[in-house]
Amino acid sequence: QVQLVESGGGLVQPGGSLRLSCAASGSIFSINTMGWFRQAPGKAREFVATISWSAGSTYLADSVRGRFTISRDNAKNTVYLQMNSLKPEDTAVYYCAASFRSGRSLRSEYDYWGQGTQVTVSS
């Protein structure tokens, strides 16, 4: 079992920045990759970014590449999503997820999910 707790969401103006955090606990040694997904009202949950827990290699969705960065601090068992140049279309609930396999961009590849944190981009 893995527990994931997101934090750092909030209200930000267009062009602003936020950093989301995801603290993992439990069977952390079994985690292979960590990911971020988001879900806007009335839309399906979509992939944002993923990072290898050991190697630190990353992969980001086209819609956020160049604006968002995913990183991890293994000592703190925490994954971060740095979001810059935010746009209104980035408004969504952001979810952290953990994969015991080689999860990449599909929801089905992830085994555990956090409760989500709201990000609202509005003037």
Side-chain angles (χ1 to χ4, degrees):
Q1 292 280 346
V2 172
Q3 294 77 44
L4 303 172
V5 179
E6 303 100 332
S7 61
L11 173 64
V12 64
Q13 292 186 342
S17 298
L18 278 177
R19 188 177 80 157
L20 305 183
S21 299
C22 174
S25 60
S27 301
I28 299 169
F29 55 88
S30 297
I31 296 175
N32 191 326
T33 61
M34 295 283 291
W36 286 97
F37 288 73
R38 65 186 182 185
Q39 187 166 15
K43 295 188 177 181
R45 193 171 300 187
E46 66 175 2
F47 167 75
V48 176
T50 186
I51 186 166
S52 166
W53 193 246
S54 57
S57 55
T58 64
Y59 175 66
L60 289 90
D62 289 344
S63 58
V64 303
R65 191 172 297 128
R67 299 188 298 123
F68 292 10
T69 303
I70 186 171
S71 61
R72 90 267 192 253
D73 184 333
N74 293 76
K76 296 182 178 181
N77 298 325
T78 300
V79 173
Y80 303 98
L81 186 67
Q82 177 67 42
M83 306 184 295
N84 299 326
S85 302
L86 283 161
K87 305 175 181 180
E89 51 263 43
D90 294 317
T91 295
V93 177
Y94 282 71
Y95 297 91
C96 175
S99 174
F100 285 0
R101 297 159 282 166
S102 298
R104 189 169 170 87
S105 60
L106 299 179
R107 289 181 58 183
S108 60
E109 296 173 324
Y110 290 82
D111 304 289
Y112 294 94
W113 294 81
Q115 294 300 306
T117 184
Q118 176 71 46
V119 171
T120 303
V121 184
S122 175
S123 55

